[in-house]
Amino acid sequence: MERALETLAAGRVAWGTLALAAPGLNVKLAGMSDRDTPELRYLIRVFGSRAVALGAGYLMSDPAARRRWRRLCLLVDACDTAAGLVHLARGDVPRKSMAALAMMTGTYAALDALALRQDS
């Protein structure tokens, strides 16, 4: 499980770095090019900073600190998934894009929860 969590953390760093360096590409990959605005690009960069911090924090931590990082990641991923599901239910964003994003954050949240359960 630890190897999988390290891979997910590296994915956070990679996606976050992409969001910081090329927010327009991030919007395009999310399938929301028709909604691309300077405000959205700013928020994508905010997301990118957070993703890099969560991933790098996890990867640079010792084993004892990683449990705390798993809790933080679970909180963030659960909130992101809940927000995505709300937008999916409202239908105020492209459904296909939002379903894919919510599935991604939901998968992260599920793996975070599973790892925390195994820690207990």
Side-chain angles (χ1 to χ4, degrees):
M1 174 60 79
E2 185 58 33
R3 186 72 181 130
L5 294 173
E6 289 174 351
T7 300
L8 291 177
R12 288 181 198 275
V13 172
W15 193 275
T17 300
L18 178 64
L20 287 166
L25 177 58
N26 201 284
V27 171
K28 183 178 180 179
L29 290 172
M32 296 189 195
S33 295
D34 61 325
R35 296 170 182 252
D36 193 0
T37 64
E39 296 85 1
L40 180 58
R41 286 180 182 224
Y42 167 73
L43 291 174
I44 293 291
R45 284 190 169 110
V46 168
F47 151 79
S49 299
R50 183 186 73 175
V52 169
L54 286 171
Y58 186 84
L59 292 171
M60 294 189 303
S61 292
D62 60 58
R66 284 188 171 189
R67 181 168 168 77
R68 287 186 293 276
W69 281 102
R70 283 193 283 278
R71 286 187 200 136
L72 288 169
C73 290
L74 175 58
L75 175 66
V76 169
D77 295 331
C79 289
D80 289 349
T81 302
L85 293 174
V86 167
H87 285 285
L88 191 58
R90 285 183 188 160
D92 58 359
V93 293
R95 287 192 177 278
K96 183 178 178 183
S97 299
M98 187 49 57
L101 292 169
M103 185 182 305
M104 182 174 65
T105 60
T107 299
Y108 269 71
L111 291 171
D112 297 333
L114 180 61
L116 284 170
R117 185 170 180 189
Q118 286 182 350
D119 286 346
S120 300

